[in-house]
Amino acid sequence: MNELVRQHTALGDTDLEWLHLLVSEWQLLSDLSFADLVLWVPTRDGTRYVSVAQMRPNTGPTSYQDDMVGHLVPRGRRPLLDAALDEGRIVREGDPEWREEVPVRVESIPVRRDGRVLGVIARNTNLLTVRTPSRLELTYLQSASDLAQMIAAGAFPFPDQQVDMDASPRVGDGLIRLDADGIVQYASPNALSAYHRLGIAADLVGHHLGTATAELAPSRGPVDEALVKLASGYAPRETEVEGDDGVIQLRAIPLKPKGTRIGSLVLCRDVTELRRRERELITKDATIREIHHRVKNNLQTVAALLRLQARRIGSERGREALEEAVRRVGSIAIVHETLSQNLDERVEFDEIADRVLAMVAEIAPGKVTGRRTGRFGILDAEVATPLSMVLTEVLQNALEHGFGAGEQGAVEVSAVRGGTTKESRLLVTVQDDGVGLPDGFDVKQAGNLGLQIVRTLVEGELGGTFDMVPAPERGTRVILDIPVHAEKVRPDK
């Protein structure tokens, strides 16, 4: 719509924002009217109209099989559009149009803002299935007529209310029509079912909806006056009411077709099962995070016990072995600590890599600096846990065997994500500028426990490849090529 309005019309940004607000709300008018809506805006030179938006009803058959957005028609071809635009009134005159052997009643509703008519809504009703209307349909049509008059007067939509139509109740979910005093004049079957779920046994017609709703909501103090006013439809608001056996969502829409409130529409939806599932998911997420937190605590306890044992052991090699075990356990604990802070089983591995790099750097015999380049991105827990251990072993091996006491040097961890959306790969390179590999070194024949752990995890658990080669100038380069799931970008990224 933005592109069409800016390309063909003279409307400004504030006018365009008003049209967006209208389009976000007009599903309500379409469903109440059982009609298609097409928004026509005059072009910059005033000789044509351009259709910038379209809505089909959920309550009846459509009048347009094709998409009308982007169509241009010359002024004069559709007299009802001209009359509504020029006179600023709702135009209903004329005989039904026949489209593909289907009679269609066409009406035009001017869209007004601050005294100016910005465009015209063409309301097209398929008359093929017309029959004697029921009480529900008559209530729908009367409410639609009131809303149309409010649009023509510039009183709808409400500028201070942003509505999420995906989450708000819709016409078919349940509709209640109130008079100016908040007394129920009509309640649809779905609305009655929602209130029965909430706890009311009698019919709603003739009752004050605000008072009845407030009495259904559990309260330890006096009746909630704010809830009474909202359910009475005095202002455009949304809320949820939770009773002993159910939860309903309410949306109040004051009706002011001639500037004075004559009543209100209250849309309601039974969201009991939806809220129950949400609470179950929240409980499940909290349980998973608590499990990760406890695993992290237990791993830290194990690491503390191993560290204590290392201090008491007399053998230097035994002490070193226990200290290596402490770091291995610690790398796993870092992953579980990160998982305990997330709602899913995925982690931002860059933070983990930085912490592992800092943890292993503490054991460096000399002044060795470490840094990370590139980005690991978001990884599944089943990849992050073994990868953290692999990274720990590779860094520990580089620092212990690449540098002597008092030597200065650097270790760089590089990560590159690549591949397609269905298959992504992670290429990790760990390079140091230490003494390098001994002559005749073969990584597949190396008996070092750390390298055996790396090879087993990379090839067996991660399904990747592992290699260790001399660096181009000095030192050693370790290359890890691991398949990972395509990264899903989080909403806050």
Side-chain angles (χ1 to χ4, degrees):
M1 186 166 73
N2 287 355
E3 183 179 348
L4 289 171
V5 168
R6 288 168 178 156
Q7 179 181 354
H8 296 284
T9 78
L11 297 181
D13 290 340
T14 54
D15 295 331
L16 179 57
E17 188 63 30
W18 182 262
L19 295 184
H20 273 293
L21 188 60
L22 172 65
V23 169
S24 71
E25 291 270 33
W26 70 345
Q27 181 73 64
L28 176 65
L29 178 62
S30 178
D31 290 345
L32 290 173
S33 304
F34 309 98
D36 291 75
L37 305 178
V38 179
L39 178 57
W40 297 92
V41 180
T43 57
R44 189 174 289 104
D45 58 8
T47 61
R48 295 180 297 176
Y49 297 95
V50 58
S51 58
V52 299
Q54 178 179 0
M55 178 57 65
R56 293 184 173 89
N58 293 318
T59 52
T62 183
S63 302
Y64 287 111
Q65 299 298 326
D66 298 327
D67 187 5
M68 295 296 296
V69 175
H71 282 216
L72 289 162
V73 297
R75 184 179 172 87
R77 179 175 294 180
R78 301 194 177 185
L80 297 186
L81 294 182
D82 298 338
L85 182 68
D86 296 339
E87 302 173 22
R89 65 180 180 89
I90 299 176
V91 183
R92 296 189 175 94
E93 297 88 351
D95 297 327
E97 296 181 2
W98 287 84
R99 300 174 186 165
E100 298 180 357
E101 300 183 354
V102 175
V104 177
R105 182 174 64 243
V106 181
E107 304 166 86
S108 295
I109 305 167
V111 177
R112 191 183 303 274
R113 173 182 175 271
D114 292 341
R116 296 167 45 242
V117 177
L118 307 182
V120 180
I121 295 176
R123 180 163 55 175
N124 305 269
T125 307
N126 187 323
L127 300 179
L128 192 61
T129 58
V130 169
R131 53 183 174 77
T132 303
S134 64
R135 178 74 187 280
L136 180 144
E137 291 167 332
L138 288 173
T139 303
Y140 276 21
L141 293 172
Q142 180 58 53
S143 302
S145 177
D146 294 335
L147 279 178
Q149 293 182 57
M150 291 172 64
I151 292 173
F156 187 85
F158 305 109
D160 57 344
Q161 185 188 38
Q162 294 289 338
V163 177
D164 182 359
M165 293 307 297
D166 292 333
S168 295
R170 299 197 176 196
V171 171
D173 295 326
L175 178 141
I176 301 173
R177 174 83 186 219
L178 308 179
D179 65 10
D181 297 322
I183 306 300
V184 178
Q185 301 297 300
Y186 175 78
S188 71
N190 284 346
L192 286 174
S193 297
Y195 267 83
H196 289 164
R197 182 73 176 267
L198 199 62
I200 194 171
D203 192 359
L204 285 173
V205 176
H207 290 77
H208 189 279
L209 185 66
T211 303
T213 303
E215 291 174 350
L216 291 171
S219 175
R220 298 177 182 174
V223 174
D224 188 344
E225 293 296 332
L227 181 57
V228 172
K229 289 186 177 181
L230 187 147
S232 300
Y234 287 102
R237 295 288 185 272
E238 288 192 39
T239 191
E240 285 190 5
V241 181
E242 183 170 359
D244 294 332
D245 299 317
V247 183
I248 62 173
Q249 188 179 18
L250 299 178
R251 182 190 177 195
I253 304 169
L255 297 176
K256 303 177 181 179
K258 296 182 179 180
T260 303
R261 193 174 70 87
I262 64 169
S264 305
L265 283 181
V266 177
L267 305 181
C268 59
R269 179 171 61 164
D270 183 353
V271 292
T272 304
E273 293 303 316
L274 178 63
R275 297 296 176 259
R276 182 185 62 82
R277 289 195 296 269
E278 287 179 350
R279 284 193 288 267
E280 288 179 353
L281 288 174
I282 291 173
T283 302
K284 178 182 177 182
D285 289 337
T287 301
I288 291 174
R289 282 185 287 179
E290 178 62 21
I291 289 173
H292 285 302
H293 182 70
R294 294 189 180 187
V295 170
K296 183 262 298 184
N297 289 344
N298 290 339
L299 290 171
Q300 288 180 337
T301 301
V302 171
L305 293 173
L306 290 173
R307 193 177 293 111
L308 181 63
Q309 185 67 34
R311 292 171 183 169
R312 293 176 175 269
I313 197 169
S315 169
E316 183 66 25
R317 294 190 61 185
R319 186 182 304 111
E320 291 177 356
L322 289 176
E323 289 176 350
E324 288 181 0
V326 168
R327 287 187 286 274
R328 289 164 184 153
V329 173
S331 65
I332 302 175
I334 292 173
V335 176
H336 283 280
E337 180 180 3
T338 305
L339 288 169
S340 69
Q341 300 169 1
N342 297 332
L343 293 176
D344 54 14
E345 292 293 288
R346 299 168 66 82
V347 296
E348 181 67 67
F349 197 81
D350 294 329
E351 178 185 353
I352 294 175
D354 292 340
R355 293 179 63 180
V356 168
L357 186 59
M359 177 183 68
V360 176
E362 295 177 358
I363 68 165
K367 297 180 180 180
V368 181
T369 59
R371 68 171 186 144
R372 172 181 59 84
T373 61
R375 183 171 177 268
F376 286 86
I378 299 172
L379 299 177
D380 292 334
E382 58 264 26
V383 175
T385 301
L387 182 57
S388 68
M389 288 191 64
V390 167
L391 194 58
T392 300
E393 295 298 333
V394 171
L395 288 170
Q396 185 170 295
N397 185 76
L399 293 175
E400 286 187 352
H401 301 288
F403 304 96
E407 288 186 359
Q408 294 186 354
V411 177
E412 179 178 325
V413 178
S414 172
V416 178
R417 291 285 286 263
T420 64
T421 55
K422 293 184 179 180
E423 182 181 2
S424 180
R425 301 194 72 83
L426 174 63
L427 182 65
V428 182
T429 304
V430 179
Q431 182 169 317
D432 64 71
D433 57 358
V435 298
L437 298 173
D439 295 336
F441 177 83
D442 184 357
V443 67
K444 295 182 180 180
Q445 303 296 327
N448 182 290
L449 175 60
L451 295 181
Q452 291 181 8
I453 292 174
V454 170
R455 186 164 52 250
T456 299
L457 291 175
V458 172
E459 297 177 355
E461 191 161 344
L462 295 175
T465 60
F466 160 65
D467 198 8
M468 180 180 287
V469 297
E473 296 182 2
R474 172 188 168 91
T476 305
R477 174 182 290 177
V478 176
I479 303 170
L480 309 173
D481 188 357
I482 302 168
V484 294
H485 294 299
E487 181 174 354
K488 297 178 182 179
V489 179
R490 290 179 175 174
D492 58 341
K493 296 296 179 184

